[in-house]
Amino acid sequence: MARLSIPVLKHLLTSSSTPTLRRSVTYMPRPGDGAPRPVTLIPGDGIGPLVTNAVEQVMEAMHAPVYFEKYDIHGDMMRVPSEVIESIKKNKVCLKGGLATPMGGGVSSLNVQLRKELDLYASLVNCFNLQGLPTRHENVDIVVIRENTEGEYAGLEHEVVPGVVESLKVITKFCSERIAKYAFEYAYLNNRKKVTAVHKANIMKLADGLFLESCREVATKYPGIKYNEIIVDNCCMQLVSKPEQFDVMVTPNLYGNLVANTAAGIAGGTGVMPGGNVGADHAIFEQGASAGNVGNDKLLEQKTANPVALLLSSAMMLRHLQFPSFADRLETAVKRVISESHYRTKDLGGTSTTQEVVGAVIGALD
């Protein structure tokens, strides 16, 4: 009797006679889960309308169960109009482009106003390598979770005497504890293995010391997740030399902004990193790093803004709305376009327009 070789056996075991499983265990929706959901849309300034329109086109092509309530607001306004706040409170979810923040003067950031008004206390930026997009470092998959409502962004500044300005950094036990809880809960729910707290408690012993104390207390409740701490200046050095060592990072407000942008640059650029801001009741999804970036006149004139970050943020939004298959389709299509390398905007080394990238993503939808 002839004996079959190992390669032949492998071929027989994996031949087309064996059914190929293409789906995981099914998602069972609750009755009514397929009803279209309203989402507040803020196109914003500069390239914002261009990239939010890209999302609208892809959502329409997917027949995604969402519809947009659009509001035209701009970063030079003194305040976010009350009707916009009410729309987000009603809809619970918002998608936004960048809102420009004037430098100096008396106009405060509308991005910060939205976070405070809606108590969106957690900012999340996911920085990861994309297949087909070469970077200096591989195996980067970092989630930066940043406290969003206090710290240096509290906006408590005043001129003590002419030529002397005092800016207050506010750290509270309440806000430190809840951002730590969110970071560990995120890690637990997403099968992440480690949470790193970023601080400068060697110098700001009371403020950052309180932040660390809160993180340590919360860490004891998650024994299955490794916890460590790193000083922010060493953190930046470690990020650019060995970023793959980091998993989930939890930070006070200002450090998180710096760390998230550094991680985004390492993983492929701010134009491809998704993110959002979330609180107990509401969520705003936007470009993850440099969320206030509104591009420049040349990008706007040539219509070459990169829509990838906001498209991936929209996939995050669809998961948040419990539309997992639509989120998977969108994420898969975007990643396929990146990996095939035919359609890329200038920031990724290509020459494509925003619309050409959108067309490619729509064409890649399953």
Side-chain angles (χ1 to χ4, degrees):
M1 181 178 175
R3 298 179 66 183
L4 296 176
S5 67
I6 295 297
V8 172
L9 281 171
K10 285 184 176 179
H11 172 74
L12 290 173
L13 289 171
T14 58
S15 66
S16 57
S17 61
T18 304
T20 302
L21 296 177
R22 298 188 61 191
R23 297 181 184 275
S24 56
V25 174
T26 190
Y27 160 62
M28 185 175 73
R30 296 164 300 184
D33 273 0
R37 293 283 299 277
V39 172
T40 304
L41 178 63
I42 300 174
D45 297 311
I47 61 171
L50 193 60
V51 292
T52 54
N53 178 256
V55 173
E56 289 183 276
Q57 291 183 61
V58 174
M59 291 290 183
E60 184 177 351
M62 294 171 67
H63 303 291
V66 298
Y67 61 93
F68 294 107
E69 296 179 1
K70 191 180 299 187
Y71 290 88
D72 187 28
I73 71 171
H74 301 282
D76 57 0
M77 294 178 172
M78 292 300 295
R79 291 204 58 79
V80 179
S82 58
E83 60 268 25
V84 178
I85 298 294
E86 291 306 311
S87 174
I88 299 173
K89 287 182 176 179
K90 172 178 66 75
N91 296 334
K92 308 294 186 187
V93 175
C94 172
L95 181 72
K96 66 178 280 292
L99 289 169
T101 300
M103 299 295 178
V107 179
S108 63
S109 167
L110 295 195
N111 298 297
V112 174
Q113 281 186 32
L114 281 166
R115 295 167 197 162
K116 289 185 175 180
E117 184 76 26
L118 299 165
D119 197 25
L120 305 174
Y121 66 85
S123 164
L124 187 150
V125 182
N126 190 188
C127 303
F128 55 92
N129 293 126
L130 285 161
Q131 185 178 350
L133 187 61
T135 59
R136 184 181 297 273
H137 298 280
E138 297 180 352
N139 302 315
V140 177
D141 187 6
I142 302 169
V143 174
V144 181
I145 294 177
R146 161 192 174 196
E147 204 292 318
N148 230 1
T149 61
E150 55 177 20
E152 293 85 352
Y153 285 61
L156 300 175
E157 296 182 312
H158 65 280
E159 190 172 37
V160 182
V161 296
V164 179
V165 172
E166 187 175 54
S167 179
L168 301 180
K169 171 177 175 173
V170 178
I171 298 287
T172 65
K173 176 75 169 176
F174 173 78
C175 290
S176 297
E177 194 171 77
R178 70 175 180 174
I179 195 65
K181 285 179 179 176
Y182 183 81
F184 275 92
E185 184 175 50
Y186 171 87
Y188 171 66
L189 293 174
N190 286 276
N191 195 30
R192 295 279 183 157
K193 307 304 181 186
K194 181 171 68 173
V195 173
T196 301
V198 182
H199 67 94
K200 191 65 177 172
N202 58 324
I203 302 300
M204 284 169 272
K205 297 181 185 296
L206 292 179
D208 285 23
L210 178 58
F211 175 78
L212 278 188
E213 178 187 307
S214 302
C215 290
R216 289 167 183 169
E217 288 177 5
V218 173
T220 62
K221 300 173 183 176
Y222 291 85
I225 297 172
K226 184 180 178 181
Y227 170 72
N228 66 349
E229 300 166 357
I230 189 168
I231 296 172
V232 62
D233 37 352
N234 182 36
C235 172
C236 293
M237 188 274 288
Q238 294 289 335
L239 268 173
V240 299
S241 59
K242 195 179 178 184
E244 62 275 7
Q245 69 183 286
F246 295 107
D247 191 354
V248 177
M249 307 176 78
V250 60
T251 78
N253 207 332
L254 178 60
Y255 307 156
N257 191 17
L258 305 177
V259 167
N261 278 273
T262 303
I266 288 164
T270 58
V272 294
M273 301 301 151
N277 306 277
V278 68
D281 300 309
H282 314 99
I284 293 181
F285 294 88
E286 59 190 354
Q287 177 175 309
S290 296
N293 177 27
V294 297
N296 54 49
D297 292 339
K298 188 175 181 181
L299 275 178
L300 197 56
E301 180 184 337
Q302 296 178 348
K303 300 187 186 304
T304 54
N306 191 345
V308 168
L310 201 63
L311 287 169
L312 291 175
S313 297
S314 300
M316 286 175 58
M317 180 186 76
L318 289 168
R319 288 201 181 93
H320 181 80
L321 290 169
Q322 296 185 343
F323 298 134
S325 65
F326 287 93
D328 291 344
R329 288 176 62 204
L330 176 52
E331 180 179 348
T332 300
V334 171
K335 288 181 175 179
R336 183 177 299 163
V337 170
I338 294 292
S339 68
E340 290 174 353
S341 307
H342 301 310
Y343 297 94
R344 291 184 180 176
T345 48
K346 187 176 180 180
D347 59 312
L348 301 183
T351 58
S352 301
T353 64
T354 307
Q355 191 57 47
E356 286 170 341
V357 174
V358 172
V361 170
I362 291 173
L365 290 169
D366 288 330

